[in-house]
Amino acid sequence: MYIILVYDIVMDNDGKKILPKVYKCCKKYLTHIQNSVFEGELQTSQILRLQSEMQGFIRKDKDSVIIFKSRSERWLQKEFWGKEDDKMSFII
């Protein structure tokens, strides 16, 4: 399954400690494409592991994670407005 994950961590004192943990967790499973945005192909079991790990970090009353799912990246079209980063994967 193709995943786009975005997160928003409230930057209070605890958030400053949580942010690097969330980033590292996402980086284990997905490709970092922009600030708090990651993408990649994951199996259902990997999505469940990622979700379990993330729930150990994020605060349900302050932080948020959104996951967009698609059967395959070929069903999406990506457009760049502004600077295009070389490290991003490309969707046809």
Side-chain angles (χ1 to χ4, degrees):
M1 187 170 302
Y2 182 74
I3 302 296
I4 297 173
L5 181 146
V6 296
Y7 62 78
D8 187 16
I9 306 299
V10 174
M11 290 308 293
D12 55 11
N13 286 334
D14 290 333
K16 291 177 184 176
K17 297 173 188 172
I18 292 169
L19 184 63
K21 294 175 184 179
V22 169
Y23 175 86
K24 287 178 186 178
C25 182
C26 292
K27 189 81 170 147
K28 283 187 348 188
Y29 295 92
L30 300 163
T31 301
H32 182 232
I33 59 170
Q34 186 177 27
N35 294 335
S36 61
V37 182
F38 291 79
E39 70 178 357
E41 291 278 343
L42 295 180
Q43 297 175 356
T44 303
S45 61
Q46 292 173 304
I47 295 169
L48 293 173
R49 282 196 306 268
L50 173 60
Q51 180 183 18
S52 176
E53 287 182 43
M54 292 289 277
Q55 287 176 344
F57 302 127
I58 62 170
R59 301 161 293 173
K60 292 182 181 183
D61 61 330
K62 294 184 179 184
D63 307 321
S64 66
V65 176
I66 302 171
I67 296 180
F68 300 92
K69 298 178 184 178
S70 176
R71 290 184 303 236
S72 169
E73 71 178 282
R74 67 183 163 149
W75 295 103
L76 299 173
Q77 180 179 358
K78 185 186 295 182
E79 292 182 26
F80 294 91
W81 298 355
K83 182 182 177 201
E84 187 174 323
D85 197 336
D86 292 339
K87 67 183 175 186
M88 296 181 189
S89 63
F90 295 98
I91 301 173
I92 300 173

